[in-house]
Amino acid sequence: MVALPDIEPVSRESTAAVIARQLRDAIMTGALPPGTQLGETDLAARFQVSRGPLREAMQHLVSEGLLRSERHRGLFVIDLEPADVFDIYLARSAVERAALLCAFRGDREAVAAMLEQNVADMAAAADDPAALSEADLRFHEALINASGSKRLVRMARTLLIETRMCLTLLQSTYQGVEDRLEEHTRIIETLRSGDEETALHLLDAHMEDAISRLLPGRSLKGGAAAAE
């Protein structure tokens, strides 16, 4: 092995990475709604940067699928059509089922305790729809992170941002927070008890419930054809 001199780790984000993160957060929270056109001149002035790092940041988001490019028009925040919403939950179901199976093969009690804190955060945010959606998303992010799979985490990153865009619509379909708390709590209980089959069934039902609220009459059980 070639000997290398002492190398200090790079801890600071590049300018493009900082811009990409802030734009990503703005898309996720709805500060940049679907369909918003991003103007280079305006954004460069607001970030107080040259167009080079700004373009690099926006291309990152294009590659992540959060921005779309239209020839001669520019870049726009993606619009989530019904087929997109269906596809998001179809993909999430596959990723989170895999993550849940990993959790059953690891320290179930530690994962359950961590997820319980996320449910407690959801309960505490009952009167704040935006905070409730954030806590809801953190539950699913924590479950995926607990899998220990770098690839599942990477696959889920954009899916969870797109899910946050959906949650703005989804939160208006709940009469109260109790339904959401119960769905998540039952998954934790089955994880703790070791009932893998029921846990997977509950996770499937959780995703199915979201689809039925967002896209009435459609079902994940029908596969991709159901989105057409």
Side-chain angles (χ1 to χ4, degrees), residues 24 26-30 32-35 65-66 77-80 88 137 158-170 214:
R24 193 181 294 113
I27 292 170
M28 181 173 66
T29 60
L32 287 174
L66 297 176
V77 177
I78 59 167
D79 294 290
L80 294 181
I88 290 165
L137 206 61
T158 298
L159 285 173
L160 292 177
I161 295 172
E162 292 174 322
T163 299
R164 180 62 181 84
M165 297 168 70
C166 296
L167 289 180
T168 300
L169 298 174
L170 187 61
L214 290 165

Side-chain angles (χ1 to χ4, degrees), residues 137-163:
L137 206 61
R138 284 198 300 273
F139 175 98
H140 294 277
E141 185 176 23
L143 173 60
I144 295 164
N145 288 340
S147 72
S149 168
K150 294 183 292 185
R151 287 168 178 79
L152 285 178
V153 171
R154 187 167 64 239
M155 292 163 64
R157 189 171 297 127
T158 298
L159 285 173
L160 292 177
I161 295 172
E162 292 174 322
T163 299

Side-chain angles (χ1 to χ4, degrees), residues 46-80:
R46 292 175 65 179
F47 282 113
Q48 298 184 0
V49 297
S50 64
R51 294 193 183 190
L54 178 63
R55 287 173 177 167
E56 182 182 344
M58 292 196 292
Q59 284 306 310
H60 277 307
L61 299 189
V62 169
S63 67
E64 291 175 11
L66 297 176
L67 296 180
R68 57 182 170 82
S69 177
E70 291 190 13
R71 190 175 182 183
H72 303 310
R73 293 195 63 202
L75 297 175
F76 297 79
V77 177
I78 59 167
D79 294 290
L80 294 181

Side-chain angles (χ1 to χ4, degrees), residues 39-198:
E40 282 189 9
T41 302
D42 177 58
L43 285 175
R46 292 175 65 179
F47 282 113
Q48 298 184 0
V49 297
S50 64
R51 294 193 183 190
L54 178 63
R55 287 173 177 167
E56 182 182 344
M58 292 196 292
Q59 284 306 310
H60 277 307
L61 299 189
V62 169
S63 67
E64 291 175 11
L66 297 176
L67 296 180
R68 57 182 170 82
S69 177
E70 291 190 13
R71 190 175 182 183
H72 303 310
R73 293 195 63 202
L75 297 175
F76 297 79
V77 177
I78 59 167
D79 294 290
L80 294 181
E81 302 294 336
D84 296 312
V85 174
F86 183 91
D87 198 40
I88 290 165
Y89 279 89
L90 184 66
R92 274 190 61 198
S93 180
V95 169
E96 294 194 36
R97 279 178 64 91
L100 187 55
L101 287 172
C102 290
F104 270 97
R105 286 149 181 73
D107 188 339
R108 299 198 317 270
E109 179 57 37
V111 176
M114 177 177 58
L115 295 178
E116 277 182 333
Q117 182 56 56
N118 292 115
V119 174
D121 291 342
M122 290 174 64
D127 297 326
D128 184 341
L132 176 58
S133 292
E134 291 294 337
D136 188 334
L137 206 61
R138 284 198 300 273
F139 175 98
H140 294 277
E141 185 176 23
L143 173 60
I144 295 164
N145 288 340
S147 72
S149 168
K150 294 183 292 185
R151 287 168 178 79
L152 285 178
V153 171
R154 187 167 64 239
M155 292 163 64
R157 189 171 297 127
T158 298
L159 285 173
L160 292 177
I161 295 172
E162 292 174 322
T163 299
R164 180 62 181 84
M165 297 168 70
C166 296
L167 289 180
T168 300
L169 298 174
L170 187 61
Q171 65 194 16
S172 65
T173 69
Y174 288 97
Q175 297 301 313
V177 71
E178 293 79 13
D179 290 346
R180 295 171 79 172
L181 294 178
E182 182 180 0
E183 288 180 7
H184 293 79
T185 298
R186 291 181 66 197
I187 292 172
I188 295 172
E189 290 171 349
T190 54
L191 174 62
R192 180 170 274 133
S193 68
D195 189 347
E196 183 177 297
E197 182 178 352
T198 300

